[in-house]
Amino acid sequence: MNSLHKKLQESPLLSRVLPFLIFVILTSTQGSFGPDSHFWIYLIKTLFGVWMIWTIWPLVGEMRWAFSIEALGGGILVFALWVSLDFQYPKLTAPSDSWNLNKHLGTDSLFFWLFATTRIIGSTLVVPLLEEVFYRSFLYRYILTKNWLFTPYNIFDIRPFIATSLIFGLTHSHWLAGIICGMTYQIIVLRTNRIGDAITAHAITNCLLGFWVITQQKWHLW
């Protein structure tokens, strides 16, 4: 652990990329050990994400929450778009009920509320921090210039804007909503010159979406 922390301290790139990559790898293993492993691995992944955020928090200065009208409006807008774009178009993966907690656990189950709460907390408080630091702080600026670490966040260039938004969108089954989502969060960063506003917007979107999924039984959106 000390060796890992030292490597993260010594490499600004590693401290912004490695936590996200490990998070993605863990995501890819969800459901690999039976249907219930989808939930347990998400729980483990979330706890690991919390530990990684705690580890890199002193090393990644832009990983700080920020609140603005852009963050609030952008977060609500993306949620509304994500729900409204839930129609029949070719998805990257087939619709899945793997997160149908009613089907797998039953609404009266203690585990239903454990995993529903874990999913909302993870997607609201963990995912936005790791993803926004990777996409907006690292990837966008890395595509923009070799001197990425010392480059302001509010420099617009069509190449990293399109590339980052496409990559962000294509990591989601609902790729169309994902691409628009990536563009919106990037615009927020360009307007505010802060990663924190995109983190907050992303958190608002995911929190609203989580409650929508549970209350409306739209499990395929998870």
Side-chain angles (χ1 to χ4, degrees), residues 4-91:
L4 174 61
H5 189 266
K6 183 178 180 181
K7 289 180 179 179
L8 292 173
Q9 280 184 314
E10 294 173 347
S11 173
L13 185 150
L14 197 63
S15 62
R16 288 161 176 80
V17 173
L18 183 62
F20 171 79
L21 291 182
I22 295 177
F23 204 75
V24 169
I25 291 171
L26 288 174
T27 299
S28 70
T29 66
Q30 289 175 200
S32 299
F33 308 98
D36 288 350
S37 70
H38 213 90
F39 313 128
W40 288 106
I41 291 177
Y42 193 93
L43 174 61
I44 293 170
K45 179 182 74 172
T46 298
L47 293 174
F48 177 82
V50 170
W51 176 76
M52 287 301 298
I53 290 169
W54 179 80
T55 301
I56 65 175
W57 187 268
L59 310 177
V60 183
E62 67 272 23
M63 185 185 275
R64 300 293 184 271
W65 298 89
F67 299 89
S68 64
I69 191 65
E70 289 88 351
L72 177 61
I76 296 173
L77 174 63
V78 170
F79 162 70
L81 288 171
W82 201 284
V83 171
S84 64
L85 289 172
D86 181 28
F87 57 85
Q88 293 297 322
Y89 67 91
K91 307 297 195 302

